[in-house]
Amino acid sequence: MGTLDGQVVVFTGAGAGIGRSVVTRFVGEGAKVVAVDISEHVTELADELGHAVLPIVADIATWGGNVVAAQAALDTWGTIDVFVGNAGITDGARPLEDIPGDRLPEAFDQLFGVNVLAPMLGVRACIDALIESHGSIILTGSFASTQAGGGGALYTASKHAVHGLVRQLAFELAPDVRVNGVAPGVAPTRLRGIDALGQTSADSVLDGTERALPTQQIAPVSAYDGVFTMLASRADSAAMTGSMVTVDSGLSIRGIGKPGGRVDIG
Ligand SMILES: NC(=O)c1ccc[n+]([C@@H]2O[C@H](COP(=O)([O-])OP(=O)(O)OC[C@H]3O[C@@H](n4cnc5c(N)ncnc54)[C@H](O)[C@@H]3O)[C@@H](O)[C@H]2O)c1
């Protein structure tokens, strides 16, 4: 018996990083997952995990991409219990003053298209099924959902918006659907950048980051699996809605003089 036995999940940003790790855990816990990503790498999940995963290559910043994903879950397994809006892109922590003004509208549209519009589209596409199943929604926020300096102005504003979306949707959908978020701090992945700014992808972990963390180490991507699993579980998070769970290696309790009370800074 797994924690998520029989649960049907639509999961975006499943092809790499945190999402790929969480999907692997979900399947191990008995879930069936429509795994959505713009990257073809998502198709590898079917080879790795078998029939419990249905990979879909789609751009989730479009309405059509989300409809295809939701319909695939309904056609294949007849229901949707959990929607996870996890796909995201970064601005590479580019300060606003370094973004040419004439590129800013397109850069905004691209980053907000993936980080903010896409989870709205995904929820909208799954909403009838989620209400019927009394299911739940999980959105991936960030340390940047509540703090400055975890990204540039575009990324930080977008992740603050995700926090607002979690709270508003939790209100709108109560009591039928629970809505929560996960706010990671630093995970060793390569997030895509903004095409309009000529960015490709970049390491999410900057040199020296581990020394700034109270935990003094970069946790592996699998460190987020348990929190997503808990939030997807009807039994383990029945009393949670509207919560953004911080999983930030202690970033938000860092000290001024040193990251943690017992950290030796020499
Ligand atoms: N890595 C970190 O340090 C960190 C910190 C805080 C928050 N996050 C958040 O975690 C989430 C997962 O990021 P990750 O670090 O695992 O990065 P990642 O790049 O490894 O995973 C993100 C996935 O989203 C996919 N994606 C991007 N645009 C898409 C689109 N338009 N349509 C469909 N799929 C698309 C990518 O192809 C990729 O597979 C993101 O929301 C990110 O903002 C990451």
Side-chain angles (χ1 to χ4, degrees), residues 224-248:
Y224 302 87
D225 297 353
V227 171
F228 279 90
T229 304
M230 176 191 69
L231 292 177
S233 160
R234 292 176 186 276
D236 292 343
S237 57
M240 294 180 73
T241 195
S243 295
M244 183 67 89
V245 182
T246 299
V247 196
D248 69 353

Side-chain angles (χ1 to χ4, degrees), residues 18 37-38 59-60 86 155 159 184-185 187 189-192 204:
I18 294 170
D37 205 290
I38 201 165
D59 180 355
I60 48 92
N86 167 73
Y155 186 78
K159 289 299 186 178
T189 65
R190 284 186 68 81
L191 275 162
R192 288 163 182 251
S204 306

